[in-house]
Amino acid sequence: MVGTAENFDAVVIGAGFSGMYMLKALRDKLGLKVRVYEAGETVGGTWYWNRYPGARCDSDSYIYCFTWDKQLLHDWEWSERYPEQPEILRYLEHVAERHDLKRDIQFNTRVTGAEFDEDKALWKVRTDTAEKATARYLIAAVGSLSDTNMPPFKGIEKFQGKWCHTSRFPHTGIDFTAKRVAVVGTGATAVQAIPEIAQQAKHLTVFQRTANYCVPARNGKVDPDLARARKADYDGVVKRIRESFFGFEYNFIPKSVLEATTEERDREFDRMWDAGGFAFWLANYQDMFFSQEANDLCADYIKRKIRKTVKDRVVAEKLVPKGHPYGTKRQPLDTNYYETFNKDNVLLVDASTDGPIEEITEKGIRAGGKQYEFDIIVFATGFDALTGPLKALNLTGRGGRKLEKAWAAGPRTYLGIAVAGFPNFFTITGPQSPSVLSNMPVSIEQHVEWIADCVDTMRRSGKTTIEATRQAEDQWVAHVNESVNTTLMPRANSWYMSANIAGKPRAFLPYLDPEGVGGYRKRCDEIAAKGYEGFALS
Ligand code: NAP
């Protein structure tokens, strides 16, 4: 309805994994009238936008999916250990069709603002299509990594070639054949894209600001016997990932790496390295994230691997990470990443040794006083993580309070689900929740189910508003920071620490529960069981 506002029980913003399940839960379980707004032209969220070469999931496919549709868990066949972007998008399209979700999703529509009307206890939502809505509940399912970080490089407007950011890659793709290409960035995205682009391009130059610790993905076709065994045990799988530390079937090795003999350590490291995936990162010795001495032993193993793989000594040293402990930045999974730097058509330009990017010119990039010429520049420069997409919603809470002002010094939430002064507003995998430090669908499902239960309780008890108290929020913010300060995470200039973007106030963005996502789930459930302790209900 254009012009006038239609009233809904709930407005959900975003139609990725989280918005789709939120719609399903509120509409089909609780029977509510729900509208989802989605800026893209179809469902998928991150898997709709990120279409760069090599884009694929870093979690194993059998647990990177919805677990609430038991039949689908059994019916759907993933082709690879880590499915490619088009396959995940096909899966989400299938879910949308199977559950008839699209009829309540307004595509090509971006929410441009929302205000809480205190008299009516309703959210008034505005969009860029002039469509307006009111709703009792407003739920942000906007994704943690959806707000593109395009650094304001001097001279970008002068570049005569083609350029794009990986998260806004053209749907038609880019033909790199016979082209001189630059990739800026060496995070998880670039680590996937670089080997693919290097195969096509005439020449590829990689601009690295910080070297990363990459471990092998070891992707491949899914073994049918393994797939069958997992399907037969899906109830067990789901229970284990829900109660686990990171939402995977991984557990730490329950001892200090410093107590292991060299042989034992190398055997364990080799085992994790050979298994591929996040095992080396999330199932290593239990003190890896806490003790620098322990961490150094893990880091040294990867450094040896890099030096062994990369033939040119000088290039290898540029690729060896320096200055941050292993695992304190998001683990990139690699398929021929280090090997790619052995190719004759690939050049690495490292900010510390060759000089940083100074400007974009008509013909390419000037770095360290040297001009590099390109036909195409691909910026794999990441995201304004977690807070970016929420601040962009332009939300006004109680007393005219703006979310971006409330978060001027960093995010402030209660449980990473609610914000004081913003009644009936919930975030799915928002800041200060486990979110990006977990297998996302596990955390998404936990939040959606908790929020749906909360809305159900509110309606059954005749309450109209629920709002985090300032005191509960203060305590949560302190707890999030205390928890992370027991780890090595604050020692890295990572996007977890808000350090990837100049001027973003330094703050740890997700939440690392001392008992992992299983502990966080228990914590949230206990709070609900105590009548939503830390929330004011009216
Ligand atoms: P990212 O990890 O933030 O990496 C961005 C890269 O660009 C970094 O190397 C960064 O350097 C560099 N950079 C940023 N600003 C720069 C500047 N002004 N000048 C020069 N270099 C600059 O972003 P990403 O690789 O897109 O990954 C973001 C997250 O998306 C991942 O961590 C992961 O959670 C998610 N992701 C998931 C998957 C998956 O599951 N399939 C795949 C890809 C990404 P610094 O390191 O120095 O900041």
Side-chain angles (χ1 to χ4, degrees), residues 52 56-58 151 185-189 209-210 329-330 380-382 495:
Y52 58 86
R56 64 174 73 244
C57 180
D58 281 346
T186 53
T189 297
R209 187 165 71 175
T210 311
K329 297 186 84 158
R330 164 51 154 81
T381 45
W495 61 257

Side-chain angles (χ1 to χ4, degrees), residues 47 50 52 55-59 64 145 149 151-153 165-166 184-192 207-212 278 329-331 357 380-383 436 493-496 499-501:
W47 300 107
N50 286 271
Y52 58 86
R56 64 174 73 244
C57 180
D58 281 346
S59 296
Y64 193 83
L145 297 159
N149 171 38
F153 288 114
H165 190 280
T166 43
V184 178
T186 53
T189 297
V191 167
Q192 290 184 335
F207 289 86
Q208 170 182 272
R209 187 165 71 175
T210 311
N212 249 315
F278 287 146
K329 297 186 84 158
R330 164 51 154 81
Q331 173 70 73
I357 295 176
T381 45
F383 302 90
V436 291
N493 286 328
S494 62
W495 61 257
Y496 294 144
N500 60 326
I501 297 176

Side-chain angles (χ1 to χ4, degrees), residues 177-190:
T177 314
K179 297 284 193 286
R180 299 162 305 167
V181 183
V183 170
V184 178
T186 53
T189 297

Side-chain angles (χ1 to χ4, degrees), residues 47 55 83-91:
W47 300 107
E84 270 194 297
Q85 174 269 335
E87 188 172 353
I88 305 175
L89 198 53
R90 265 200 311 282
Y91 167 78

Side-chain angles (χ1 to χ4, degrees), residues 326-369:
Y326 168 60
T328 53
K329 297 186 84 158
R330 164 51 154 81
Q331 173 70 73
L333 294 190
D334 101 69
T335 302
N336 297 326
Y337 176 67
Y338 291 119
E339 287 83 351
T340 297
F341 292 94
N342 292 333
K343 290 171 92 114
D344 291 338
N345 68 330
V346 177
L347 174 72
L348 179 66
V349 178
D350 173 51
S352 332
T353 49
D354 302 309
I357 295 176
E358 286 147 7
E359 64 174 327
I360 313 291
T361 64
E362 263 179 45
K363 293 193 166 165
I365 295 179
R366 202 158 65 87

Side-chain angles (χ1 to χ4, degrees), residues 136-149:
R136 171 107 321 145
Y137 298 100
L138 180 66
I139 299 157
V142 291
S144 311
L145 297 159
S146 51
D147 196 15
T148 295
N149 171 38

